Structure formats: C-alpha cells, structure tokens
C-alpha cells in the first residue's frame, strides 16, 4: 500500500510563529521525500527534498525525515503572511522517472 | 529561473469531445509527467514519459488518454472522449535525468490547466 496521510488543517498561526507540518506513510519502500508549496490557482512549487533520515535546513525551512517511524515533517520558522498556502508532502520509491505520491495538503494561514 | 509552462490555463469542453492539453517542460529536462488534481482531492499521478515512450502509468491512465512529444519542446496530454469525471486541474511536470551516482532530482510543476467538462 502506498498511502500518504496528511492532516488537511486548516492551520492558522500568528506571524512569527513556528509552524510544524507532518505526513505519515505506510510503505517503508519510499526513499525520497519532498515538500511542495501551492498557492491558490498555481502549481506545486518545490520547497525541500531529501532522501535520508535526519534534518535538512534551507533558510527558514527545515525538513525532517524519520524512516523508522514513517513520518516526515516540515518546520517553518518566523512564519510570514506570504507563507500562507497549501503545503503538500510527496514521496517516491526510487530515483528519477517514477511517480510521486502526494498527501492531501495542509492549508496554512499566517495572520499578520 | 526556468519553469514549466502549460496552456491553456482553462479549458471548457463538451462531454465526449477530445481535448489536448499542452506543456512546455524545462528545456534541459528529459523526464516528463502528467498529474491531475480533482477539486478537494490529492494530486494523482497519471503518466511519466522518457525517451519518447511511457515509462510508467497509473490505473487512471486508461485507453482514453495518450501522451506525445510532437517536437523538441512540447509535451501533450490527449483525452480522446472526455467524461464529466475528467474535470480537474491537470499538472505537467519535468525533471532532470540523473546518473546512477546522483540522487533523485525532484519534479518541477507548471501552474496547471483547469479542465471543465460540461
């Protein structure tokens, strides 16, 4: 089974807060993990991708993967109103060329 | 920054008609994909395409669907006889080919074509 589960929210936080977004999955064969941001009427925009357990940081964003628990997270520090969007987790089984499996997305609103 | 472009942004078609959705992937990418997103649901994989042939497809991608790379820049999705349930956002994506020693290169998405079947 290749299910990816993600709490759809909505999630509402004050500006400057730390945001935690999470996905769980059931298939231990997933190797690559991505986070995309999707604004209304736009396509998914890549934020982070990683292929191993542990943390990966890029500016205000930190992606965390725990393969033993089948759990991935995205942390947003010092959240801004411009971070208001839907956040999608995605994962794949192997290297380039294969399908991504997406979560349902979490709707985030950052209140000024 | 290079991007995937899709046209049209919105397509309205009568049920039973054929529709062609067009995409221009990022120019140095070699893998191309189509996904769809029905309103309120997950983004779902349809098909991947490499070296002028389908490399993987989902159960959704039945005989009504076809893909083509008619020239060096365009990548198209054709739905032969549209049904009401084909109404969705259709996203094109592309990614760079990787060698064995390289890690996965993620897919970059266009802004989608909203397909409305009447």
């Amino acid at each position: 089974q290749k299910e990816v589960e993600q709490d759809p929210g909505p999630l509402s936080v004050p500006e400057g807060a730390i945001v935690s977004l999470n996905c769980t999955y059931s298939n231990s064969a997933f190797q690559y993990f991505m986070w995309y941001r999707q604004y209304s009427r736009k396509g998914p925009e890549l934020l982070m991708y990683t292929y191993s357990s542990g943390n990966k940081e890029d500016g205000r964003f930190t992606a965390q993967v725990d393969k033993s628990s089948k759990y991935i997270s995205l942390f947003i520090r010092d959240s801004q109103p411009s971070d208001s969007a839907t956040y999608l987790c995605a994962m794949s089984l192997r290297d380039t060329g294969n399908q991504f499996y997406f979560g349902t997305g979490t709707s985030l609103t950052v209140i000024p | 920054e290079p991007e995937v472009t899709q046209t049209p942004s919105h397509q309205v078609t009568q049920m039973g008609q054929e529709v062609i959705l067009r995409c221009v992937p990022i120019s140095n990418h070699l893998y191309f994909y189509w996904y769809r997103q029905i309103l309120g649901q997950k983004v779902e994989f349809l098909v991947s395409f490499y070296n002028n042939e389908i490399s993987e497809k989902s159960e959704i991608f039945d005989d009504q669907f076809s893909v083509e790379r008619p020239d060096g820049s365009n990548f198209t999705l054709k739905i032969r006889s549209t049904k009401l349930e084909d109404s969705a956002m259709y996203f094109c994506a592309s990614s760079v080919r990787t060698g064995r020693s390289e890690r996965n290169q993620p897919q970059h998405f266009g802004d989608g074509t909203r397909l409305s079947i009447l």
Side-chain angles (χ1 to χ4, degrees), chain A residues 4 36 43 95-96 98 100, chain B residues 35 42 45 56 98 104 107 111:
Chain A
V4 179
Y36 286 85
D95 211 337
T96 296
N98 69 113
F100 281 9
Chain B
Y35 289 80
K42 293 182 179 182
F45 172 79
E56 191 173 358
T98 64
N104 182 48
Q107 297 163 23
D111 283 338

Side-chain angles (χ1 to χ4, degrees), chain B residues 43 48 91 99:
Chain B
V43 176
S48 61
F91 293 107

Side-chain angles (χ1 to χ4, degrees), chain A residues 19 21 35-37 39 45-48 55-64 73-80 82-83 87 108:
Chain A
V19 176
L21 304 167
W35 285 96
Y36 286 85
R37 178 174 60 195
Y39 292 113
E45 171 195 1
L46 179 68
L47 284 177
M48 302 282 285
N55 293 352
K56 181 178 180 180
E57 191 173 313
D58 184 1
R60 296 185 296 113
F61 298 93
T62 299
Q64 188 175 81
S73 299
L74 178 71
F75 299 97
I76 306 174
R77 290 183 298 282
D78 187 27
S79 56
Q80 303 294 309
S82 58
D83 294 329
Y87 289 79
L108 171 68

Side-chain angles (χ1 to χ4, degrees), chain B residues 6-58:
Chain B
Q6 292 185 243
T7 56
S9 58
H10 188 197
Q11 175 79 47
V12 182
T13 301
Q14 291 289 331
M15 186 173 60
Q17 296 295 307
E18 175 183 287
V19 65
I20 297 175
L21 308 181
R22 303 180 190 279
C23 169
V24 178
I26 295 173
S27 63
N28 65 346
H29 285 186
L30 297 177
Y31 283 89
F32 314 116
Y33 313 82
W34 284 102
Y35 289 80
R36 78 173 185 190
Q37 186 176 29
I38 295 171
L39 187 64
Q41 298 186 24
K42 293 182 179 182
V43 176
E44 300 174 288
F45 172 79
L46 294 177
V47 66
S48 61
F49 190 85
Y50 170 70
N51 199 25
N52 285 319
E53 62 182 24
I54 291 172
S55 55
E56 191 173 358
K57 62 181 181 179
S58 71

